[in-house]
């Protein structure tokens, strides 16, 4: 694997949402974990050193409920052993009335511009699909100094217990991930690649095989992240990487075209 992307870290420990926090859904799952994490200080002392001592390249996902919180986390990571930062702009942001900063191009530009001045580490912005035009959001992030984009984050969804008529999740709605979102995520990667031909893109969403990873490369992604698949198959990231290698080894002409950026788009 090229890197490990860790769960979002915040300035202080977050307890997350009350349970139930996960529910199955056709071809996927819906969760409202609420970015539970022990905070950036614990991450720097305990979790990051363990990964680095194993020789991992580490992408640290950054979360916050305000611009100041994002800035605090990035400042603490600026001189850390983290290799790259992935800015999760899908958190409800108190600076913007509880709206995710990732849905407002002007707010996103201000945030990324501020963070860019704090760190020299490569900075990836993780985009939310819950927007009208993802290319506008993507361009705002790049114009403000993002080095790369990752997309997509989860789609908003819910499940209802038909015995009670009440939502299964205590938070009522949550984020849908897994194979169900694969074709949607693929189209978002393609749209952003059309609008921004030069920015590195990490494709995310429903990847559980080398074939699906290859579709993302065709759509314009430079790399992929495997997430939900690892919940039911912890070896999924390694398996996907090996399957992709086998596909490209068996079709050297395809590997050469992808390396040269020659795809159908």
């Amino acid at each position: 694997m090229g890197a490990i992307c860790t769960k979002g870290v915040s300035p202080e420990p977050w307890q997350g949402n009350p349970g139930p926090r996960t529910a199955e859904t056709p071809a996927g799952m819906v969760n409202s974990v609420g970015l539970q994490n022990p905070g950036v200080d614990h991450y720097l002392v305990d979790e990051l050193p363990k990964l680095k001592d194993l020789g991992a390249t580490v992408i640290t996902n950054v979360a916050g409920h305000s611009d100041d919180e994002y800035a605090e986390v990035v400042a603490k990571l600026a001189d850390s052993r983290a290799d790259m930062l992935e800015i999760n702009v899908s958190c409800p942001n108190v600076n913007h009335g509880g709206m995710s900063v990732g849905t407002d191009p002007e707010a996103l530009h201000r945030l990324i511009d501020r963070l860019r001045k704090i760190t020299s580490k490569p900075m990836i912005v993780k985009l939310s699909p819950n927007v009208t035009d993802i290319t506008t959001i993507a361009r705002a992030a790049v114009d403000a100094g993002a080095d790369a984009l990752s997309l997509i984050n989860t789609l908003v969804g819910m499940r209802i217990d038909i015995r009670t008529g009440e939502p299964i999740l205590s938070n009522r709605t949550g984020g849908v991930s897994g194979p169900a979102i694969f074709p949607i995520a693929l189209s978002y990667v393609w749209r952003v690649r059309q609008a921004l031909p030069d920015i590195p893109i990490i494709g995310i969403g429903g990847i559980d095989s080398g074939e699906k990873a290859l579709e993302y490369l065709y759509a314009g992604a430079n790399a992929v992240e495997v997430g939900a698949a690892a919940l039911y198959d912890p070896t999924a990231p390694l398996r996907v990487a090996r399957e992709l290698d086998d596909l490209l080894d068996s079709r050297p002409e395809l590997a050469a075209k992808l390396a040269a950026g020659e795809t159908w788009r």
Side-chain angles (χ1 to χ4, degrees):
M1 292 184 291
I4 297 291
C5 186
T6 57
K7 184 172 176 59
V9 293
S10 53
E12 303 293 336
W14 284 0
Q15 295 306 309
N17 295 321
R21 306 197 296 189
T22 61
E24 292 186 13
T25 193
M29 63 175 292
V30 56
N31 88 84
S32 63
V33 170
L35 289 170
Q36 178 180 347
N37 75 95
V40 66
D41 293 332
H42 180 276
Y43 176 82
L44 287 169
V45 170
D46 186 72
E47 298 175 24
L48 181 59
K50 290 178 181 177
L51 289 169
K52 294 303 298 180
D53 289 347
L54 288 171
T57 297
V58 178
I59 303 172
T60 302
N61 186 283
V62 176
H65 283 146
S66 68
D67 291 9
D68 289 344
E69 288 192 0
Y70 280 105
E72 182 179 347
V73 175
V74 169
K76 289 186 175 182
L77 293 168
D79 296 323
S80 73
R81 297 172 68 189
D83 297 283
M84 292 176 273
L85 307 181
E86 184 182 57
I87 312 302
N88 178 0
V89 294
S90 299
C91 309
N93 192 295
V94 297
N95 283 0
H96 308 286
M99 179 186 296
S100 162
V101 71
T103 64
D104 182 339
E106 292 185 4
L108 178 60
H109 188 283
R110 285 194 298 270
L111 174 63
I112 301 305
D113 180 65
R114 178 176 176 181
L115 301 182
R116 179 74 286 166
K117 296 169 182 174
I118 298 173
T119 182
S120 60
K121 291 186 183 296
M123 192 162 60
I124 307 161
V125 176
K126 187 173 185 178
L127 301 182
S128 169
N130 302 300
V131 296
T132 302
D133 181 6
I134 197 168
T135 63
T136 300
I137 303 296
R139 187 172 284 106
V142 172
D143 289 347
D147 297 294
L149 303 171
S150 60
L151 60 150
I152 59 174
N153 209 327
T154 55
L155 289 148
V156 176
M158 71 185 303
R159 294 301 309 275
I160 292 177
D161 185 337
I162 60 171
R163 295 168 298 178
T164 65
E166 295 294 324
I168 294 175
L169 302 180
S170 63
N171 200 50
R172 299 185 177 273
T173 63
V176 180
S177 60
I181 74 168
F182 169 72
I184 301 168
L186 194 68
S187 71
Y188 275 59
V189 167
W190 175 76
R191 288 167 60 189
V192 171
R193 175 54 72 216
Q194 301 305 298
L196 298 165
D198 299 321
I199 190 72
I201 294 174
I202 303 172
I204 310 171
I207 301 167
D208 56 11
S209 68
E211 289 85 354
K212 287 182 179 177
L214 183 55
E215 286 193 52
Y216 272 99
L217 300 188
Y218 266 129
N222 303 92
V224 298
E225 285 184 25
V226 178
L231 292 174
Y232 61 85
D233 175 11
T235 66
L238 293 173
R239 177 176 51 77
V240 170
R242 290 173 184 142
E243 289 174 358
L244 180 59
D245 277 343
D246 290 343
L247 280 169
L248 296 177
D249 286 346
S250 67
R251 299 174 62 185
E253 75 287 353
L254 170 61
K257 285 184 178 181
L258 287 171
E262 299 174 8
T263 65
W264 64 273
R265 66 183 186 279

